[in-house]
Structures are given as C-alpha cells and as structure tokens.
Amino acid sequence: MIIQTEALRRDFLVGTRLRRQRVTAVEDVTISVARGEAVGFLGPNGAGKSTTIKMLTGVLVPTSGRANVCGLDPVRRRRELARRIGVVFGQRSQLWWDLPLRDSFDLHAAIHRVPAARYRERVDECVELLDMASFLATPVRQLSLGQRMRGEVTAALLHAPELLVLDEPTIGLDLTSKERLRSFLSEVNARGDVTLLLTTHDLPDVERLCRRVVVIDQGRVLVDDELAALRQGFAGHRVLVVELVEPVPPLHGLAGVVDVTVEAQGLRQRLEFSPGATTAAELIGTVAQQVELRDVSVVEPSIEDLVRTLYYSH
C-alpha cells in the first residue's frame, strides 16, 4: 500500500491561554490506497481533508493513530518521504516567482538530485503534453494561472514521485486549462507512473481522474467506495441551463427532466434532470430540435450536496 492509516486523529487547542478547549479536526480516519490508484478525497470546507493531508506528508503530528506513506512514518522520516512524494496546492506555489519557469525546474531537479538524463526526459515529456514550450523562458510571476498550474504539476513530478497529492489543482482555471491538466494527470496515472490522491470541490475533476472516492465530513470518513457505486447511490440531479433566442412555454415532458424553471421572461430555462435517465448531451440534442438556442451550460451538483446526501443516508 502507498497510503495506510489506522484510527488517525488530530486535536487542536483553541482559545486564550486562560481558557482553551480541545477541538477534534480528524477522528478515527482509517483508509488505504494501493499503488497506482487514483483516489478522490472529498468533503466540504472544514471537513478535515487538509489536516489529514498534512499528517500524511509529515507536516502535522497525529494526536493518536498511525500513518504509513510509501512504507515510511511521515513524521519520523519526513525528509526521506519528501523525496518519494510530490505535492501540488492550487493556492500555493513551489516555483520561484522572479525566475523563468525553466530555471525553477532546474532548481527543483538540483534539490532532489535528479540525474540529468532523467530530468531532461521528464521535462521534455511534460513540456510537450502540457504545451509549455512557449512560456518556459517567462518569469513565473508573469504566467497566467493555467500556465503556472501546469508548471506546478511538472515541478512536483520531476523527481518521479511514487505518490502525487493534489489539493484543488484546477481551482480558478478556464475550461481548456482544466481539460489539458486532467488529460495529462490521467495519462500519467494510467501508465502506473504515480499514485494520485486528489482533493477538490470540482466533481468533473473526480469523474475524469478517479475510480474511487473517500468522502470525509466533520473529521470522519462517511464513504469509501468506487465512484461508479457512489454515483449510482447518489440521487443528485444536474441542471441544464438553456438560453433561448425567443421565449417559449416551459419545456415540460422531456425524457429524464424532473423539473423546469423559467427565468428572464422565458428566455432562460433551467431543466433539472436525472443523470441516470439521460445525459446532458442527449438532453441538449432534444432541446435543440424543439427550440433555437443561444447558449447552454450544465450546473453540476456540488461536493456539499453530495456530502449532505451521504450524511443523511448514513
């Protein structure tokens, strides 16, 4: 196993020196991740995801319980573990802002003592697959968010880690950048090069990359199951928003649609549908045959909706 935890717990003391109380951020988390897996680690803000990741990477010491990552105790052998894992935080950078992107890669390779031949091979591969050639000489501070995130992922992979931990890797990215990054990570994982542990609030990230999900809330694991089984058991609906050229009566009676809401004097309609009964593409095709469309978009259920459903079902 790449990750193995047993009854992992982390408490914090909060308050003033005279009046403190103990708060439990993570409680009795027992999970395992096999080599080569891609696992989504999901939950709302404050669920305990970041605290768990910090214990897995050796940043925080568990209050009780045990953790083993890549065969190592994350706290006692943190330095050795750092050479065998990669970490990408969507809102924190590991690149040098005043240096060209290529120089940041050179520094990371030197820090991890990556052999020159392996370094060139990995950089060339990432540059090609992530389309970075045009901005390798650009200082990091001048990169767009999408360009920087591609650089962050490359930097995390330069030393060929066994485990890549991704915390909100696509946050703030446009659709094109998201899909490019998802495709790259999916390919790297499919080859068996690296195990992925992904935390995100973006369900399409999970659907694109992960076959299994662990859902955590209030510091406890609610569900640990295959994504297909979870999707089948989660009765959450999606919403297709259609912008119309001309107002029309509510589009009732479409296959799979359970509710219709009309807005903007009939120029916008929200079609709530069941993913088990139809797909967004099928529904768009059906609507397009009946009315003239100006624009369409799909509203996905949020991680919070998923956790809320799971919470009440357990």
Side-chain angles (χ1 to χ4, degrees), residues 2 38 59 64 82 95 115 117 130 175 177 182 193 207 218 226 229 264 267 271 276 303 309:
I2 286 288
V59 176
S64 62
L95 303 173
L130 291 172
L175 292 176
S177 296
R182 290 168 183 160
D193 290 354
E207 293 177 328
Q218 299 180 5
E226 294 291 319
L267 289 173
L271 310 179
I303 295 295
T309 301

Side-chain angles (χ1 to χ4, degrees), residues 253-274:
L254 302 180
V257 174
V258 298
D259 189 36
V260 179
T261 303
V262 178
E263 302 174 351
Q265 290 79 48
L267 289 173
R268 181 188 306 117
Q269 297 195 25
R270 295 179 176 269
L271 310 179
E272 185 176 347
F273 67 96
S274 171

Side-chain angles (χ1 to χ4, degrees), residues 3 62 99 109 117 140 145 173-174 176 196 252 254 265 296 299 314:
I3 298 174
L99 295 180
V140 171
L145 180 57
L173 301 187
D174 59 63
T176 301
L196 299 182
H252 291 298
L254 302 180
Q265 290 79 48
V296 296
V299 179
H314 284 72

Side-chain angles (χ1 to χ4, degrees), residues 126-276:
C126 291
V127 167
E128 179 180 356
L129 293 177
L130 291 172
D131 191 22
M132 295 189 295
S134 63
F135 53 86
L136 281 176
T138 303
V140 171
R141 66 169 58 253
Q142 296 178 17
L143 299 177
S144 68
L145 180 57
Q147 292 171 337
R148 183 173 66 79
M149 286 309 303
R150 283 179 264 168
E152 298 282 357
V153 171
T154 299
L157 289 172
L158 287 178
H159 58 293
E162 300 169 46
L163 170 67
L164 181 60
V165 179
L166 300 154
D167 188 3
E168 300 287 358
T170 64
I171 188 170
L173 301 187
D174 59 63
L175 292 176
T176 301
S177 296
K178 282 185 178 183
E179 184 53 34
R180 181 182 285 116
L181 194 54
R182 290 168 183 160
S183 296
F184 173 73
L185 292 171
S186 179
E187 180 173 334
V188 171
N189 175 250
R191 292 199 310 244
D193 290 354
V194 64
T195 302
L196 299 182
L197 182 65
L198 169 70
T199 74
T200 182
H201 281 79
D202 196 337
L203 278 177
D205 281 354
V206 180
E207 293 177 328
R208 184 72 168 81
L209 295 172
C210 305
R211 293 183 58 185
R212 173 181 159 215
V213 294
V214 175
V215 181
I216 185 173
D217 189 32
Q218 299 180 5
R220 288 180 171 270
V221 174
L222 291 182
V223 171
D224 183 347
D225 206 345
E226 294 291 319
L227 178 59
L230 182 62
R231 186 189 291 114
Q232 183 176 0
F234 174 48
H237 293 154
R238 296 179 177 180
V239 176
L240 176 67
V241 181
V242 294
E243 304 282 349
L244 307 174
V245 175
E246 297 180 353
V248 299
L251 297 167
H252 291 298
L254 302 180
V257 174
V258 298
D259 189 36
V260 179
T261 303
V262 178
E263 302 174 351
Q265 290 79 48
L267 289 173
R268 181 188 306 117
Q269 297 195 25
R270 295 179 176 269
L271 310 179
E272 185 176 347
F273 67 96
S274 171

